[in-house]
Structure formats: structure tokens, C-alpha cells
Amino acid sequence: MEALGETPWDVVLSGTGLSQSLLALALSRSGKKVLHVDKNEYYGGTEAALSLQEIEAWVEKVNDATRPSSFRNAILQKEEQDSDHGSDLGFSRAYSISLSPQLIYTRSNLLPALVSAKVHAQLEFLAVGSWWIYSKANDSRDLKGSHTPNAPAGKLRRIPGGREDVFSDKSIDLRSSRLLMKFLKLAADPQNHPAILEVWGSKSFPEYLLSEFKIPKSLHAPLLALTSSLRPAEQTLTSLALPRIHQHLTSIGLFGPGFGAVLPKWGGLSEIAQVGCRAGAVGGGVYVLNKGVEDIKLKPTATEQETSNEMNTPKPPLKLRLEGSEEVEAYFIVGSDEDLPQHESKPAGPETVQISQSIAIISSPLSSLFYLAAEGAPPPAATVVVFPTGSLGLDDILPIEKVPPVYLTVHSSDTGECPAGQSIIYGHTSLPQPQASTLLSLATQTLLNSISPSPDPRPSILWTLLYTRFHHIPISQNNPTPPTNEEPTSPTRNSNPQIIPLPSPPPGLTLDDSVLKSVREAWAKINGGDDGTFLLFEERADLGEADDELEKEAEDQGEGA
């Protein structure tokens, strides 16, 4: 295989996260010469799914302040094994731990794009079942009708998913049920949303519910849970809440009864990223792991004598130095904030979102949470448990009304992420460290205390990972005229149209539709415009032949580096 520097590349993709991998998929039929590199030794970037041993190496890297990373403050805890509490921790490769576990609503723009790109058959999607909400044991409301038996720590109750659920919930009186249905009907119909958001968009969602619908405060928490907002209740704006509840409600039943969201088997978003890279390899892309981009130089404007002889095509304007001092030339480079050079780890600020996350391997399958919500519904492989503002207290740290909600997503072994007889609990909250570790651990343990062990063994935590994710919010791009100096210059990412920043998916409970929009914008820049063919492909018979080709090519390139 010829050296990488001998090829003038149309596009260099830096990083194999979801966004870059979807762009690789979009470019796979373009005929362009694509070099796809990643500084990591695994695919998936911030959406990677790793084994236990790989997680240990990952923890060391993200805690190394000299290495750029969107992750920080990683703490790994292994608990003592207890044979009385179900199964023990399995071997490393028995786990596929997702660093960015996100649910995909069935109304997401990503799912039809995967179908039109003819790669959906390579993915197995699993149903996300019921959403549960936790309330303290001394809550004034009697949470009867819960499918999870009561426990001293508190109670879990299914969040109604529609009209039948609302009116069959005996804990909601008839008047409140009618008020709730009035709101849900409006939320499901977007026709009046613009007028509503013009008045209420910048005001708190609880204020809107109380003023416009007279919905009692005791019913605010389930509705706030459906917004997936990580902010305390009074800080959750109607402009965020209404569209998200609309997406939740209209997703239920789209692909079948009893569920409105899915997740890919074998590691979540990482699996989609690998499918995108596989398509890129079949389309002629070259893949190299363990080799990031260290520097970008903008070459001087080419003169007529400097253009290539073949078809008088200008030479690539970018000179890129890869790890190992290898240099390549390209017309475009695309990457996320941390995959392009000049990355600096930035503290949380106005342009940065900080999310604290946790992952816990549980010794029990937690079967009682995976409730079959409707007749004919597929068995759920994941379920969501929400601890709203006020349900968990951090004594002497924060007033209880200031404690943000915690979202726990419980994955069963059907996801392929853990051995049979176990489960994984992923946690998210907006509280910063070090308080977040206390809050996430409290939420996880409170959930386990609230679940009846029958018929499963009493659950215990076998392994825990706590970490912080920073997400830089992209600002508007400006594209001034490129420099024309004699010597190559080091442009900033926003100073040249050949350098295309591609944001990573925003962290949180669910995948944001902005991901595919950003990918399409990058694809249009590379193609010189959007001709409406984005991810619109015919069937490709040779795609299945790439199963081993991608890994082999990456290994060969890594050895030759």
C-alpha cells in the first residue's frame, strides 16, 4: 500500500465519533478520496463502547491533563464480590460499556436516514420500555397502582404514556386527569406551538402548566421528566419542554405498541458509528487508528505553474501533520472539537455544557423494571428512571429545590452490554463534581433499595465509573479570505472554509436531531452545495464484505506508521 502522503486526499476525517462516521457514510458513494484517522485505538470517539480493560486505560488517559479530551474527573470503583448478591463481575470482554449512552426516539431524523442509506439492516434496534418516576416515601400522594412493590426508600411509578395510562392511574383524580389530557393533546399537535412559545417560550415550564392548564404541582414532575431536562424544575423553559414532550408523545406507537424510543444493540451509538465507517471503507476510504492530526498548515495560494498537470486541478490547499510526523495534503479536513489540533480543555462557561455521568454494573437483572407496557409490545431492553428535583436531598450542600434531576437508564443483558443475570445503570445529571458523585451514587443506590428483589437476587453494585463530560457549544462560523503568505500558516478552525468543525452529539438522555443537520451541512460544503441526495443510496451488494476489511486496514496502517 502506498504511503498516505503520496495521495492528494479530497477529505481527511479526524475522529470516528458518530458525527464523523455518518459523514463517512454520506461520502461513501461520492467517489472522493477519503482518509479517516483516529487518535484512539478504537472506533467511536466520544460515543465509543469499551470493555472493562479498555475502560481502565481510558480512565488513565482522560485524567492526564496533558491530553485533550471532552471527558475529565474519571473515577473507577470496583466493589468487593458477594456471592449472596447475585452474579459476580464477568471477564473484560463480556461487557461493552457505552461512554455516551443515548436513546433514539422513533421520530428522530436519524432512523429514516439510515434506512435511505441502506445500512439499517446491519443494525439491530431494541425497544426502550417504560419511564418511571421516583417519589420519596413521605410524598403526600399515595402512589398506588405501581408495578414495582413499595420499599422504605421510596416508590417508583410508571409515567403515563397516553390517554389509557392517564385514566387508568388511580393516583390521579378525574379532574386532574382531564387537565392533564388537555395539555397532552395540545403537546402532541404542533400547530399551535409557535404562538404558545412566542408568549411562554422564555418562561418556566411549571409556570406555564399552572397558569394555562391549572395542572396541580403534584403532576408537574412526570411532565418535566419527559422533557429530559437536566436543569432544576424552575429553570426548565417552555421553549425546551414543549418540543421535547411533543417528540416523546408522537414517537410512542410509531414502530409498534408500548414504546417510543430505541437503542442499537452491542454498544449503542458506537454501533452506528462502526456501520458508517464500514460503509466508508467499502467506498474506498482508508482507515488508520492510533493516528490523530497534530497540525494544520494552510499552503500559499497556488500559482498556475504550481497546479497539477492532470486536468489543471489545483493542488490541495491544506498540509496536515499526523502523529508520527507523517504529512498529507487535503482539500478538506473535518473533525470534532477535540479531534482537530489546537484543542484546549476549557472550563465550564457560557459556551460549554458540563454533564456528570455514572455507569454501574449491577449483579441483578432488575426484571421488575422491564414492564411490558402494552399487549403485543416487544420486550424492552432498556428503561428510564427519573429522580425529579426535590426527590433527592444533599444535606449541607444544596437546598433541595436547587438539586437538579437525575436520569438513570437501565440496560438489560439483551443489549449485549453485560452478561446474562446482570444489568447496567447509566446516570446523568447537570450537577458539577464533586457533588455530582454523591448525587449519582445516591440515585443509583436509592433505585436499588426501591426495587423488590423477588424473583431476582437482591441487587448490589459490582463496578462503578464516574466522570464528567464537557461539550463545547458551536458558535457561528465566519470564513474570511484565506491568508496568502509565502510560508504555510496555521489557521484557526473558523478562519478557512477547508477546515470544517463538526460538533459531537450534545450529551444527555436522548440523541439530538441537530447531529444529522450538522453532518449534512459539512457534506454540502465538501460537495459544493446540497443537491438533495444526502444519504439517498441504492442497495449495495458488497457492503457485507467489509466486516473484516475495516479492522484489517486500520491494523495494517497502524503497523506501517
Side-chain angles (χ1 to χ4, degrees):
M1 180 180 292
E2 64 182 25
L4 298 177
E6 296 177 4
T7 300
W9 300 98
D10 293 308
V11 185
V12 172
L13 300 178
S14 182
T16 57
L18 178 66
S19 298
Q20 298 99 311
S21 300
L22 288 173
L23 183 55
L25 171 61
L27 294 170
S28 63
R29 310 283 183 101
S30 66
K32 295 184 181 298
K33 296 178 181 178
V34 178
L35 172 62
H36 201 162
V37 300
D38 195 314
K39 63 185 178 183
N40 300 307
E41 61 273 14
Y42 51 80
Y43 289 93
T46 54
E47 290 76 53
L50 306 177
S51 67
L52 298 186
Q53 187 173 352
E54 289 170 330
I55 287 284
E56 291 183 6
W58 176 84
V59 168
E60 291 186 12
K61 286 184 179 180
V62 301
N63 288 336
D64 182 353
T66 64
R67 300 175 64 94
S69 177
S70 296
F71 299 99
R72 282 284 177 252
N73 309 321
I75 303 172
L76 182 60
Q77 301 171 346
K78 297 180 183 178
E79 308 298 332
E80 293 184 8
Q81 306 293 295
D82 187 343
S83 58
D84 293 335
H85 290 177
S87 58
D88 294 334
L89 198 64
F91 62 93
S92 173
R93 288 286 175 185
Y95 299 88
S96 183
I97 307 294
S98 176
L99 297 178
S100 299
Q102 291 188 314
L103 312 180
I104 305 173
Y105 275 120
T106 58
R107 288 282 181 188
S108 166
N109 59 7
L110 178 61
L111 297 182
L114 295 173
V115 173
S116 66
K118 303 299 187 290
V119 295
H120 61 288
Q122 301 175 57
L123 296 160
E124 183 177 352
F125 288 98
L126 305 172
V128 177
S130 298
W131 287 48
W132 304 84
I133 193 163
Y134 172 86
S135 73
K136 294 181 294 184
N138 61 353
D139 194 305
S140 60
R141 298 177 64 230
D142 182 15
L143 301 183
K144 295 178 180 178
S146 169
H147 294 277
T148 303
N150 297 340
K155 303 176 183 180
L156 296 177
R157 172 173 168 268
R158 279 188 63 238
I159 297 176
R163 179 183 175 87
E164 283 189 20
D165 288 342
V166 170
F167 283 104
S168 64
D169 192 330
K170 303 303 181 184
S171 66
I172 306 176
D173 62 68
L174 184 58
R175 181 177 180 275
S176 296
S177 296
R178 288 172 175 168
L179 294 173
L180 189 56
M181 280 308 305
K182 181 181 177 182
F183 167 75
L184 294 177
K185 183 178 180 180
L186 179 141
D189 183 1
Q191 184 175 353
N192 296 321
H193 288 190
I196 294 169
L197 295 180
E198 185 176 350
V199 177
W200 287 96
S202 60
K203 299 178 182 179
S204 79
F205 184 53
E207 182 184 356
Y208 170 66
L209 293 176
L210 199 57
S211 298
E212 292 295 297
F213 294 92
K214 305 297 187 289
I215 295 176
K217 288 186 177 182
S218 59
L219 291 176
H220 288 188
L223 294 174
L224 282 160
L226 299 183
T227 70
S228 305
S229 172
L230 291 170
R231 294 179 176 274
E234 294 301 325
Q235 296 179 25
T236 298
L237 301 181
T238 307
S239 58
L240 177 143
L242 196 57
R244 288 191 177 181
I245 292 178
H246 168 77
Q247 186 178 41
H248 181 93
L249 295 175
T250 57
S251 292
I252 296 175
L254 184 64
F255 291 163
F259 72 101
V262 296
L263 73 161
K265 190 174 182 178
W266 309 115
L269 299 181
S270 173
E271 193 68 9
I272 299 178
Q274 293 200 50
V275 166
C277 291
R278 189 178 304 134
V282 171
V286 174
Y287 281 77
V288 188
L289 296 181
N290 259 329
K291 190 181 287 290
V293 178
E294 290 186 331
D295 191 36
I296 303 174
K297 296 291 186 183
L298 181 62
K299 296 166 59 179
T301 303
T303 65
E304 185 176 346
Q305 288 76 23
E306 290 174 323
T307 59
S308 62
N309 293 327
E310 183 180 354
M311 298 180 64
N312 202 34
T313 303
K315 289 186 177 181
L318 298 176
K319 179 175 287 187
L320 313 177
R321 187 178 75 244
L322 308 180
E323 292 179 4
S325 300
E326 189 169 9
E327 292 189 342
V328 299
E329 295 183 348
Y331 292 95
F332 292 96
I333 180 170
V334 188
S336 67
D337 186 55
E338 72 170 75
D339 289 308
L340 293 178
Q342 304 175 20
H343 174 92
E344 296 179 3
S345 296
K346 303 176 183 178
E351 297 177 355
T352 305
V353 175
Q354 178 179 349
I355 303 296
S356 299
Q357 297 182 232
S358 65
I359 305 173
I361 299 175
I362 308 301
S363 64
S364 165
L366 305 181
S367 304
S368 59
L369 288 177
F370 296 92
Y371 169 72
L372 207 58
E375 184 177 353
T383 188
V384 179
V385 181
V386 184
F387 289 79
T389 297
S391 63
L392 295 172
L394 294 178
D395 296 339
D396 301 325
I397 297 179
L398 274 178
I400 194 166
E401 68 274 7
K402 299 291 185 182
V403 178
V406 176
Y407 288 81
L408 301 182
T409 310
V410 187
H411 290 201
S412 76
S413 60
D414 291 343
T415 61
E417 297 173 14
C418 63
Q422 297 182 7
S423 54
I424 297 182
I425 300 178
Y426 295 98
H428 298 78
T429 187
S430 60
L431 193 68
Q433 297 289 7
Q435 297 95 332
S437 294
T438 302
L439 182 62
L440 289 166
S441 299
L442 177 62
T444 302
Q445 192 59 61
T446 301
L447 171 61
L448 299 183
N449 292 343
S450 303
I451 298 175
S452 169
S454 178
D456 302 324
R458 186 158 61 92
S460 64
I461 300 173
L462 302 175
W463 179 99
T464 303
L465 176 66
L466 298 159
Y467 56 99
T468 303
R469 166 87 184 274
F470 292 94
H471 177 72
H472 182 66
I473 300 174
I475 57 177
S476 59
Q477 305 292 314
N478 54 34
N479 295 319
T481 304
T484 57
N485 299 24
E486 292 286 329
E487 296 296 325
T489 59
S490 296
T492 63
R493 279 175 244 171
N494 298 330
S495 67
N496 188 274
Q498 275 73 44
I499 304 172
I500 305 177
L502 188 59
S504 298
L509 182 67
T510 60
L511 182 67
D512 196 284
D513 278 350
S514 65
V515 173
L516 199 63
K517 179 182 177 182
S518 297
V519 173
R520 183 164 189 160
E521 290 173 352
W523 170 84
K525 290 178 182 178
I526 293 169
N527 283 315
D530 191 335
D531 60 3
T533 61
F534 178 67
L535 291 178
L536 295 177
F537 298 155
E538 298 295 330
E539 293 287 354
R540 192 172 201 167
D542 57 350
L543 192 55
E545 301 173 4
D547 289 341
D548 299 321
E549 178 182 339
L550 185 62
E551 184 175 350
K552 182 178 184 300
E553 184 167 348
E555 290 176 353
D556 291 345
Q557 287 285 352
E559 292 173 358

